[in-house]
Amino acid sequence: MQLTIDQNRKEYFRLLLLHVAIAFAIYLYRPISVLVCHGMLLFWLIYILQKKNKNNEALMAAAYVAGSEVYFRMTAGMIFYETGKYMVVVYILIGMFFKGTSSKTVPYWFFILMMVPGILVSAINISYGAEFRKLVAFNLSGPVCLGVVAIYCYYKKIKKADFEKVILMLLLPLISNMLYLYLYTPSLKESLINVSANYLATGGYGPNQISTIFGMGFFLISTRLFLVKDKLINLVDFVLLGLMAYRAIVTFSRGGVITGVICICTFVLFFYYKQNAKTRSSIFRKILFIAVAGLAVWSFTLVKTSGLIGNRYTNKDASGKLKEDITTGRSELIETELHAFTNNPILGIGIGKGKEYREEQLGIIIATHNEISRMLSEQGILGLISLLILIFVPVVFWFKFENNYYFLAFLAFWFLTINHSAMRIALPAFVYGLALLYIVDDKKDPVHRKRLAR
């Protein structure tokens, strides 16, 4: 089965040009980002209410917000820092109102409820001068977003054409963000002074988050080369793939790039496995073509960075000397959080308390970079149970149906991202939910299926 793009060629290029125009507009007059951001949020709200979520418009809206969250953060378009996660939750809740949820979502309701004891523990243990509300919101907005999206998506039927729209809505703002950065920093010569994460190449915003979203970007574009049967669209997507991959690499943040490559590999392996012998030969040629293109982008980046990017990925400094810690300090943070878990295994130290705990143990004030160790340290045994739910529930679902080509890639993206970037953005939470969808191919003859949520 091959997926085909829902929009015709004309509509796809129209949407693409619109997002090119948005990139130019924000670059030329940055304050317009506020208008674009909140205009977009209002548009999707009205759109969902008008359509009454008949074709999962809520999921499309949430996809667009998840894809544009970092874009509008870096251009100061969002009034509140966590607007992206909050609006994903709002859109999905509205979608639930119109379409309901499956009765099988009980594990994810438990996942959300198991956060409550950690909040209570935090209220008791946190220091007097700490901003309790902000700490809790910062650490739980991501997990709550994941829980809500998972409840909506789990066992949810979605037409293949509607799923394609969701993927496109996720991709378009990533492309616009990439083009904005090409305009903002057309030359990287001045920024290449060492092998640390490159803030100048990411518009002054966090390279880790830019690398993460661009990793998702070049992964989604790669999948379109296999799923979209239109040579002109494939050619445009191939150019976008090269541009996106290059921009991801020059952030000098490795996590998002490596995650994106792993996602491509998992997607291709399953997609290839599902095809017949005749189709496999053409797929194999595309795989080789993408691999050669990837090697060309890497070689080009090596030249443009005078070899510094090679040092970054081989854990060397600018002079070529091997560094001792490949995790750039993250291992020490994880160690302190595991120490907190072993000392407080039942209920943990409380939501948001980890920052204070690290200050006490290490003498530094820094937020966590690993969601797994954070859940263990701040929620104790309930955090461990929550992790087991997040891992095993989708795996059981997968072995039952195996109809979503993106499942393994999306689950890998979620797991790898929360290990190097926690859940600072909505994207890993959202794509986790997408892995739980049951995709229906309306073009195939109807077959008997177990009853699923509509």
Side-chain angles (χ1 to χ4, degrees):
M1 180 185 72
Q2 290 273 22
L3 293 178
T4 56
I5 191 167
D6 179 69
Q7 290 82 7
N8 57 32
R9 181 187 296 178
K10 183 178 179 181
E11 185 175 357
Y12 173 64
F13 288 137
R14 179 177 60 82
L15 289 170
L16 202 56
L17 289 173
L18 173 63
H19 286 79
V20 171
I22 290 173
F24 271 96
I26 295 176
Y27 170 70
L28 294 173
Y29 186 64
R30 185 162 171 163
I32 205 174
S33 177
V34 177
L35 181 63
V36 174
C37 174
H38 293 86
M40 173 269 295
L41 296 176
L42 181 61
F43 163 79
W44 282 115
L45 181 61
I46 295 173
Y47 189 68
I48 297 168
L49 294 175
Q50 282 184 339
K51 298 291 184 179
K52 296 183 179 180
N53 200 37
K54 289 181 180 179
N55 296 307
N56 288 288
E57 286 81 7
L59 206 57
M60 298 174 200
Y64 195 91
V65 173
S68 61
E69 180 185 22
V70 172
Y71 190 16
F72 290 121
R73 277 185 183 179
M74 68 184 292
T75 56
M78 289 182 172
I79 296 176
F80 303 107
Y81 187 78
E82 300 290 356
T83 298
K85 294 174 191 171
Y86 295 154
M87 290 310 298
V88 167
V89 171
V90 169
Y91 291 149
I92 294 298
L93 289 176
I94 296 173
M96 288 181 189
F97 174 78
F98 286 114
K99 295 199 75 168
T101 61
S102 169
S103 60
K104 300 179 184 291
T105 58
V106 174
Y108 291 109
W109 286 109
F110 272 114
F111 168 75
I112 292 177
L113 290 174
M114 282 190 288
M115 300 178 197
V116 176
I119 297 174
L120 299 177
V121 172
S122 179
I124 296 171
N125 291 341
I126 208 158
S127 65
Y128 179 77
E131 296 182 273
F132 174 71
R133 183 191 64 81
K134 287 186 177 181
L135 285 173
V136 171
F138 178 80
N139 286 281
L140 287 190
S141 56
V144 169
C145 180
L146 184 150
V148 172
V149 176
I151 289 170
Y152 178 87
C153 293
Y154 192 47
Y155 270 82
K156 176 78 69 180
K157 275 185 180 180
I158 184 170
K159 295 177 183 177
K160 184 178 66 175
D162 293 336
F163 182 74
E164 292 167 2
K165 288 181 181 179
V166 172
I167 297 300
L168 186 59
M169 291 304 107
L170 180 59
L171 176 61
L172 287 170
L174 299 179
I175 294 173
S176 187
N177 194 347
M178 172 198 71
L179 294 173
Y180 169 81
L181 284 178
Y182 272 104
L183 295 169
Y184 188 91
T185 315
S187 174
L188 300 175
K189 290 182 180 179
E190 297 80 7
S191 64
L192 298 176
I193 55 177
N194 54 45
V195 296
S196 300
N198 194 336
Y199 280 83
L200 291 177
T202 57
Y205 194 72
N208 194 16
Q209 293 184 26
I210 298 296
S211 172
T212 297
I213 64 170
F214 285 177
M216 172 55 67
F218 70 68
F219 159 66
L220 293 179
I221 296 172
S222 297
T223 65
R224 287 173 56 82
L225 296 176
F226 293 98
L227 305 176
V228 178
K229 291 183 176 180
D230 186 308
K231 291 184 178 180
L232 181 58
I233 290 178
N234 288 159
L235 178 61
V236 173
D237 285 343
F238 186 74
V239 173
L240 291 173
L241 173 62
L243 293 172
M244 186 77 76
Y246 172 71
R247 207 69 208 195
I249 295 172
V250 296
T251 63
F252 278 74
S253 181
R254 296 165 292 189
V257 176
I258 294 172
T259 297
V261 172
I262 292 174
C263 288
I264 293 173
C265 293
T266 54
F267 173 87
V268 168
L269 285 173
F270 180 69
F271 184 74
Y272 183 84
Y273 169 74
K274 282 289 186 176
Q275 308 306 310
N276 56 45
K278 183 179 179 181
T279 308
R280 284 181 178 179
S281 59
S282 63
I283 292 174
F284 187 70
R285 287 195 296 270
K286 287 185 178 181
I287 293 172
L288 289 178
F289 194 59
I290 291 175
V292 171
L295 183 61
V297 171
W298 175 257
S299 301
F300 177 76
T301 311
L302 272 175
V303 173
K304 294 292 287 185
T305 61
S306 303
L308 287 178
I309 195 65
N311 288 357
R312 175 64 170 172
Y313 278 79
T314 53
N315 198 41
K316 298 176 182 177
D317 60 22
S319 64
K321 184 179 179 182
L322 190 67
K323 296 181 181 180
E324 294 182 3
D325 183 14
I326 195 172
T327 67
T328 58
R330 287 180 174 85
S331 59
E332 192 174 13
L333 300 181
I334 294 173
E335 187 178 341
T336 60
E337 289 174 323
L338 293 179
H339 182 265
F341 172 64
T342 56
N343 289 338
N344 304 270
I346 307 302
L347 295 176
I349 59 178
I351 304 297
K353 178 67 177 176
K355 200 169 185 178
E356 290 186 352
Y357 189 84
R358 278 185 293 278
E359 184 180 7
E360 295 168 3
Q361 297 293 316
L362 302 176
I364 56 174
I365 302 175
I366 187 172
T368 184
H369 279 69
N370 189 297
E371 188 66 17
I372 293 176
S373 58
R374 184 207 67 79
M375 290 175 69
L376 292 174
S377 65
E378 296 186 357
Q379 296 176 246
I381 193 68
L382 295 180
L384 178 60
I385 296 172
S386 296
L387 285 170
L388 294 176
I389 289 173
L390 294 180
I391 294 171
F392 287 105
V393 170
V395 169
V396 172
F397 176 81
W398 165 250
F399 281 113
K400 196 171 184 179
F401 298 109
E402 293 189 8
N403 76 325
N404 187 345
Y405 292 136
Y406 288 87
F407 174 86
L408 293 174
F410 280 161
L411 207 63
F413 180 85
W414 163 75
F415 185 78
L416 294 171
T417 299
I418 68 171
N419 270 281
H420 73 81
S421 190
M423 294 189 73
R424 286 175 168 77
I425 57 177
L427 190 58
F430 180 73
V431 298
Y432 177 94
L434 293 185
L436 304 174
L437 291 167
Y438 184 92
I439 302 172
V440 179
D441 187 358
D442 288 345
K443 293 182 180 179
K444 295 182 70 176
D445 294 331
V447 296
H448 174 74
R449 295 186 182 92
K450 296 186 178 181
R451 184 173 181 81
L452 298 173
R454 289 186 179 275

